[in-house]
Amino acid sequence: MDSEDLELHVLEFRDEGATPLQIRPYTAALRSQKPVLVIDNGSWNCRAGWSTDPRPPFSFYNLLAKQKGKKGEQEPIIIGGDLGQIENLRWMLRSPFDTNVVVQFGYQEVLLDYVLANMGLGEETHLDMPVLMTEPLLNLAYSRKQMNELLFECYAFPHVAYGVDGAFSYFKNMNRGLPDGLVISVGNICTHLIPVLNNQMDFGHCRRIDLGGLNMTLYLQRLLQLKYPVHASSITITRMEEILQGYCYYAANYSDALAKWRNRDFYKASALYFQLPFQAPTGPVATQEEIDARREENAQRLRDMNRKRYLEKLAQDEDRLEKLLTLQDLVKQKGQKSTKDDLKALGVRSVEGLQAEIQTLTGTITRTKERLERKAIEVPKESAAETVVDPETLKGWVIDLKEQRHRLVDQRSARKQRKTDLGKRRSYASQQRMKIITHLASGRTQTGKRLKGEDTFGMNDEDWLVYREINKEAGDSDSEEERMQLDEIEGLLLKYDAPFRKEYEKTQALASGAPPKSPEFYRLEVGVERFRVPEILFQPSLVGVDQMGIMETIEYMMREYPEDVQKRLAMNVFVTGGPANLPGMDERIRRDLGSCLPFDSPFRVSVAGNPSLDAWIGAADWAASTPLDQGFLSRKDYLEHGRDYFKDHKLSNKYAVPPPKPPTPAPNPEAKKGKF
């Protein structure tokens, strides 16, 4: 790695493997405390522990993978932390969730078995502890009914309680209270906006946005795969999670951030580089002398190829010039009319065109011979001899070569663009071309005067000069010479300029599809993606989602309240959820919130102390401070009221009593009588 590489500060991916959970024994001392089993059942991560724990001791992917076993044997199942990098098992991954709602209760049962086994309850024949599970806002009654059946009938828990994850985090950060405020709960699948008024969640005004942390991860993966298609298979979800969680941030002003990153110096200073796995080629290591000799051999081969091209082009031009000179003598002897067929055979339209082409070819041949004899670009004398080269002289010479190369590349690019523009109907070059052709077809001269009688175009030799006007945008005949000159310059730069050689080898390797031999080709440059990816929560249109962003949804929701209520909500805007860990969330909301409120309204924005874990910690605090008869559904109530019943509380969804079925009308004997 040279000095240029050391300035990049290349970061390595952790690529952590499987981390099996450690079984925690359920001791007699723990049993005597009568703790509540608390499970934060998230759609991506599950966190579990006892209500007496300060933090969740267990956290793992809420996923499982079914592998194909031998015939007649049970399929092996890999769960949670045993999955390692989930990309290796992506075709076998299963989740109990559809979006953020549990629908596959067979998978949910397997994951609960995994939780109980790691908490030392795998051998218990009777589970005598209460259980508290989080659920999404406004969870489906059918899903809760199935969960009740699983917990009461399969595991025989004596008491079960449910609560909204975002509300538990709010409860924890508000010191076990629910003051008026607005909760922004950013999850893995979706984002919920929950207004809290008078110590209760206002379910009638809650809103949901179908974007979350997983969408951000997938968006980052898609951007980098499009940027580095050759490394698409190595740009995995796990690595994108690492970049997102460790290095992305919310821009306070998205437009200003884009303008700032357009500055090349700022981009170089702020962009991050991540090293993908790279295995150095095996075999004997070449010495520096061998490498220099190989480079000199390649440069010499390129110079020989250029010289061969010059000779071939010179032979073609000399042959063409000889034929044209012979034709010129023939025209002088017989006249233009007698040699009309000979002119046409060589592709010459007039005597003036013949003379112009002879003059052009003569100049081209002269320049080519001079180039072959003394070379248009010569190496400094110091470098030609085997003496010490003055670094400043060599550096200036290399800079001159690069300037010549840039000039040639720009000329060729401009010529190519002009040729492309000729094919576009609305381009200026095409319009001018068609204007001239229209004048010719209508019998007009270039001055626009109408020619009377029959079309006389071509009778005057000057008329044929119009073709120079038509073809002037398409380039001239020196493009081949420019290409050979460009090859010669690149050959010298390959020999004497290391940065150019590195970039050239990289370009050639990617173009040929050959496996690169340097770790530099396995680096991901992450620039504007650092704030462009989190921006989808505020601008869902970036990923094609036809919904309002967080601030637009807040503005829409606020308008449904009177002005005094809006001020109450604005005084306590609270943000929680995993994506709230990224820097800049509070600053972004604070900047945009003023436009959503009445003029000059005060407001306050805060972020959860630990956005990822506060939902579980708040649930544990609530479970430890709530009597069983106030927030937990007992087995007796379950058997008495049915499977879809649950006991609601301030942090749970609202239980709605199903409307009674209308009574069946008694049969009317008279209705059976009729005409028939």
Side-chain angles (χ1 to χ4, degrees), residues 413-432:
S413 299
R415 186 181 295 109
K416 184 178 180 180
Q417 183 62 41
R418 287 195 295 269
K419 289 181 180 179
T420 304
D421 290 342
L422 287 176
K424 299 178 181 178
R425 293 178 55 191
R426 298 184 181 274
S427 67
Y428 176 77
S430 181
Q431 291 174 2
Q432 291 297 108

Side-chain angles (χ1 to χ4, degrees), residues 240-255:
M240 296 306 101
E241 271 190 320
E242 184 178 337
I243 295 177
L244 177 67
Q245 296 172 8
Y247 304 98
C248 291
Y249 63 93
Y250 297 96
N253 186 306
Y254 185 66
S255 300

Side-chain angles (χ1 to χ4, degrees), residues 1 5-12 272-276 523:
M1 191 176 290
D5 297 328
L6 293 175
E7 299 174 359
L8 296 180
H9 186 57
V10 181
L11 303 168
E12 299 283 345
L272 300 176
Y273 298 86
F274 294 87
Q275 183 68 54
L276 292 172
R523 288 177 189 164

